[in-house]
Amino acid sequence: MSVPPEPDVTEVAAASPAVAPSLLDAVRDLRRDIDATAFPLEISGVDAARVSRTRLLDQLTDHLLPRLEKLSAPAIVVLAGSTGAGKSTLVNSLLRAEVSAAGVLRPTTRQPVIAFHPDDDELLAGHPVLEAVKIVRHASVPRGIALLDAPDLDSVLESNRDTAHRLFEAADLWLFVTTVARYGDALSWQVLAGAMERGASVAMVLNRVPADSLVTVRGDLLGRLRERGMQGVPLFVVPDAGPHEGLLSPASVAPIMRWLTMLAGPDRARSVILRTLRGSLAALRPWVDAQAEAVQDQVDAASEVRDEVGRILVVPAQTAVAAVLAGAVADGPVRARWAELAAGAGPFARVVRPSGRIRGSRRSAARVRESAVAPLLEDLRRSASAALQGAGAAAERALRDGLGGAGAPGGAPALVASWAPDVRAAAREAGATRLAAAWIENADREVRSALQASGAREAKRSARVVRSLGVGGLTAVVLAAAAGLEPAHELLLSLVPGAETALLGAVRAGLVDGAREQVTREGAALERLLDVPDLADDAASRLRLRLAVLKDLT
Ligand SMILES: Nc1nc2c(ncn2[C@@H]2O[C@H](COP(=O)(O)OP(=O)(O)OP(=O)(O)O)[C@@H](O)[C@H]2O)c(=O)[nH]1
Ligand SMILES: [Mg+2]
């Protein structure tokens, strides 16, 4: 069996753009990312970048993508030819599936059937050719082409001129199917010539050719094509399968399938699209590059603002630490409450005898004294909270001053202007309250573990202290001393001589850490305004990646 030489498909392919999903997808991805790009910081050049983004988006949405989608739409391959030529059988045999009914009754196919790959659904959506045809989605159709099995043209013309017209208009490629008995018909050649005049590409299938006449018939047909100036038309010869049901052998239709697959090939289709859109696609690159640069400028500006926040907060942090070490938490109500509790019969009065011995006590009396101390703990908690809030507020003021004025990094003034003060104040109050409560709780833990850790001699003394003041009472003394209250400090040293280094140091450090923490939180709150994807370190790489993909494809 002689197989016809593979036809030269260059010309046909050039006129029949097929799908290039990768390029279309790349441009769609690019559009989505440009759409998602924001320039949140008001830095110099941002207005131009925003205008450019809008224009780029319009260009992609209104011009480039529609054109690309149109060019990427699958090529419509119409199988035409006289009734009984075997068009439906051929379609089924190419796809190895019964997508179009074939049969002995003439004519069999009354309504055109179009078959395409399910993934091409979206690309064909709204195509006018779909209106009057039966649609079959089948995965064995190569992506990028749609096979349309038409009724024979005479009957189409008789029954429905509209449908015929639409088929003629839609066809990117006519696969003209004829037989040995019919290829001489005048009508066939008229239709062929008409299709070529309209600029459609044409290929011919000589079907059901008996083995003994194969060579002769093929030669004769090639001669006729040459006579009419159609020597470029690819010709496929399919040997007669004899009386049969169902599909032709895969081998007999393989050359046609190979050729269709080649038509649909993404590389070839891409070259067609590129020829058409090369200018527009090339113009995109510097444009996208400039957008990526503008995004990088935003990222750099954000990191400058972060650095500046760190620099600005050095002084407020030092001031806050100095203030608590200087006794800010001990002033006011705490001092007054202490005086009250240390006077007369108060729990802190005469705890240590002039001899140095600790006042002995019954348990019940210690409990009374411990509860009398509770208001002092509450005063300490409130005072610590107020001091921490004050430190935070000072840090916020420093940030607003430092970032809001002339000489601040680009974008910073607008950023602090958008920083809502009331929200911040409420969050700060809650944060300071928690930090102060944690300070008290930690002190309680420190005291308890110090009591347990003390050696034999100290243990006796500790036990007396606890009997006299309760753990709560001792904790209050330690806290007040750590806050800087002098009389509390003195009492603590006379109660627990070794307290200065370990216990007192730890509780004081807790207060200092809280002050630092409160200042840090102000900076963190401001920096959260910079926590958007567009200002992340790698924000520009998204567009650069799109650019690289586009470069690879064009
Ligand atoms: N002997 C023989 N019969 C074939 C061959 N190819 C198709 N047939 C038969 O020819 C008849 C017509 O085939 P179809 O595929 O329905 O032809 P069609 O071109 O779609 O016809 P319409 O739909 O009427 O335009 C069917 O019975 C097929 O089985 C072949 O190579 N040899
Ligand atoms: Mg048919």
Side-chain angles (χ1 to χ4, degrees), residues 84 86-89 100-103 106-110 149-151:
K87 301 180 293 296
S88 302
T89 306
S100 184
R106 300 272 66 82
T108 306
T109 308
R110 290 170 185 277
D149 179 18

Side-chain angles (χ1 to χ4, degrees), residues 81-90 92 100-110 149-152 155 177 207-209 238-246 248:
S82 44
T83 180
K87 301 180 293 296
S88 302
T89 306
L90 197 58
N92 294 340
S100 184
V104 281
L105 293 176
R106 300 272 66 82
T108 306
T109 308
R110 290 170 185 277
D149 179 18
D152 90 284
S155 63
V177 185
N207 200 18
R208 306 175 62 165
V209 183
V238 179
D240 186 28
H244 75 289
E245 287 288 321
L248 305 172

Side-chain angles (χ1 to χ4, degrees), residues 200-248:
S201 301
V202 172
M204 197 176 230
V205 179
L206 186 58
N207 200 18
R208 306 175 62 165
V209 183
D212 50 9
S213 55
L214 208 82
V215 178
T216 338
V217 173
R218 185 169 177 274
D220 182 49
L221 189 50
L222 282 173
R224 286 177 194 240
L225 285 169
R226 214 175 298 118
E227 268 168 35
R228 290 172 171 78
M230 296 180 183
Q231 56 272 29
V233 170
L235 173 64
F236 299 95
V237 178
V238 179
D240 186 28
H244 75 289
E245 287 288 321
L247 309 180
L248 305 172

Side-chain angles (χ1 to χ4, degrees), residues 419-551:
W419 196 26
D422 349 334
V423 178
R424 187 55 219 139
R428 178 186 312 129
E429 188 183 337
T433 306
R434 276 195 300 277
L435 279 178
W439 177 54
I440 307 271
E441 276 166 35
N442 281 336
D444 182 73
R445 259 197 299 280
E446 294 282 352
V447 167
R448 283 174 200 279
S449 71
L451 287 173
Q452 269 170 15
S454 52
R457 249 196 69 199
E458 295 87 46
K460 249 178 121 184
R461 190 171 178 86
S462 302
R464 289 186 75 86
V465 170
V466 172
R467 257 207 314 281
S468 180
L469 289 175
V471 176
L474 179 57
T475 304
V477 175
V478 172
L479 282 164
L485 192 70
E486 212 27 63
H489 196 188
E490 279 164 20
L491 177 57
L492 178 64
L493 291 183
S494 57
L495 288 172
V496 192
E500 176 66 35
T501 42
L503 186 56
L504 191 59
V507 177
R508 197 183 281 135
L511 194 57
V512 167
D513 289 348
R516 267 202 209 96
E517 170 71 17
Q518 191 68 38
V519 169
T520 306
R521 284 180 184 179
E522 297 300 316
L526 179 64
E527 285 181 24
R528 269 199 291 283
L529 298 180
L530 301 171
D531 269 350
V532 291
D534 283 291
L535 298 177
D537 281 344
D538 60 348
S541 63
R542 200 174 44 174
L543 288 182
R544 294 204 193 288
L545 181 73
R546 298 289 172 230
L547 204 58
V549 172
L550 203 63
K551 211 165 165 182

